Amino acid sequence: MASGGGQGGDKERMIYLYHGVSRIFDGYIAGIGLGVLLIIVLVVIILASDDNVAALIHNFGIFFIVIGVLGIPFTYFFMYRGFTYLAMADRDRYGIGALGAIGSLALSLALIPEGALLLVLRTSYSTFLVLSVVTIIVGFVFELLMYIALYRLGDYFSVGYLTAGIIIISLFTTLLSVIPVIEIIGAS
């Protein structure tokens, strides 16, 4: 463990765990609301494209920029800072979550120029599809790193509903990640 044993070390460790879990929990609650809003925007984008592939790619460029701009402060404030607290409590066990949060921050930052390129360049449908699938896979890998840290947290404290909840959430987010790809393929 990162702390040096003793009562003072355990107290400090528990404070870090409390702050980390609180921030991550608030992030997931806020993320549900933000996710619903983004799904509505995604449906509008697909419907507004009116079977026009160029319009679909253009609209997804705007969508990527919006996700990147919203994702940076959201990921930093809730996920990165939350997992940093967990890693300060026990770097070996929860540091993987902080790594996932850093990767998610980098991905959010990368979505902005990716979206701008989709707006400016005339991208082929296959290029757009490959870019989207790679972005979704990379994003899921970073999410998986954070889920591993949360799973370890639940396992360490023998909180069965947390460990089961992480498995359910990861399956649910995987399904949500695949929906845009299915919609994109269906639009062609």
Side-chain angles (χ1 to χ4, degrees), residues 28-29 157:
Y28 276 111
I29 295 299
F157 286 100

Side-chain angles (χ1 to χ4, degrees), residues 53-123:
V53 174
L56 179 73
I57 293 170
H58 183 268
N59 291 342
F60 262 94
I62 295 169
F63 185 67
F64 284 176
I65 292 170
V66 169
I67 289 176
V69 168
L70 292 176
I72 292 169
F74 179 84
T75 303
Y76 176 78
F77 184 76
F78 292 114
M79 298 301 141
Y80 173 73
R81 291 188 61 192
F83 281 106
T84 300
Y85 278 121
L86 293 182
M88 289 181 347
D90 189 339
R91 182 165 308 283
D92 293 338
R93 182 170 286 137
Y94 310 119
I96 194 167
L99 180 64
I102 290 169
S104 291
L105 270 172
L107 184 62
S108 292
L109 188 60
L111 281 175
I112 297 170
E114 182 179 340
L117 285 174
L118 292 176
L119 288 174
V120 174
L121 300 177
R122 294 186 57 90
T123 307

Side-chain angles (χ1 to χ4, degrees), residues 21 94 150-167:
V21 168
Y94 310 119
L150 292 176
Y151 181 86
R152 288 176 177 174
L153 180 70
D155 188 51
Y156 183 75
F157 286 100
S158 298
V159 181
Y161 64 86
L162 178 60
T163 54
I166 294 304
I167 292 168

Side-chain angles (χ1 to χ4, degrees), residues 11-188:
K11 181 179 179 183
E12 181 180 349
R13 183 174 161 265
M14 293 307 279
I15 290 170
Y16 286 142
L17 288 172
Y18 172 78
H19 286 301
V21 168
S22 296
R23 194 163 294 240
I24 293 165
F25 178 78
D26 290 346
Y28 276 111
I29 295 299
I32 290 170
L34 186 61
V36 168
L37 178 66
L38 289 174
I39 287 172
I40 292 169
V41 169
L42 183 62
V43 168
V44 168
I45 284 173
I46 291 169
L47 293 175
S49 299
D50 198 33
D51 293 334
N52 182 344
V53 174
L56 179 73
I57 293 170
H58 183 268
N59 291 342
F60 262 94
I62 295 169
F63 185 67
F64 284 176
I65 292 170
V66 169
I67 289 176
V69 168
L70 292 176
I72 292 169
F74 179 84
T75 303
Y76 176 78
F77 184 76
F78 292 114
M79 298 301 141
Y80 173 73
R81 291 188 61 192
F83 281 106
T84 300
Y85 278 121
L86 293 182
M88 289 181 347
D90 189 339
R91 182 165 308 283
D92 293 338
R93 182 170 286 137
Y94 310 119
I96 194 167
L99 180 64
I102 290 169
S104 291
L105 270 172
L107 184 62
S108 292
L109 188 60
L111 281 175
I112 297 170
E114 182 179 340
L117 285 174
L118 292 176
L119 288 174
V120 174
L121 300 177
R122 294 186 57 90
T123 307
S124 72
Y125 181 72
S126 58
T127 302
F128 164 68
L129 190 58
V130 168
L131 242 123
S132 297
V133 169
V134 168
T135 300
I136 289 170
I137 291 171
V138 169
F140 182 71
V141 167
F142 293 138
E143 286 289 319
L144 187 62
L145 295 176
M146 292 186 279
Y147 295 151
I148 289 169
L150 292 176
Y151 181 86
R152 288 176 177 174
L153 180 70
D155 188 51
Y156 183 75
F157 286 100
S158 298
V159 181
Y161 64 86
L162 178 60
T163 54
I166 294 304
I167 292 168
I168 292 168
I169 288 172
S170 64
L171 292 173
F172 182 69
T173 55
T174 301
L175 178 65
L176 285 179
S177 296
V178 172
I179 289 173
V181 175
I182 293 169
E183 289 296 326
I184 294 167
I185 293 171
S188 61

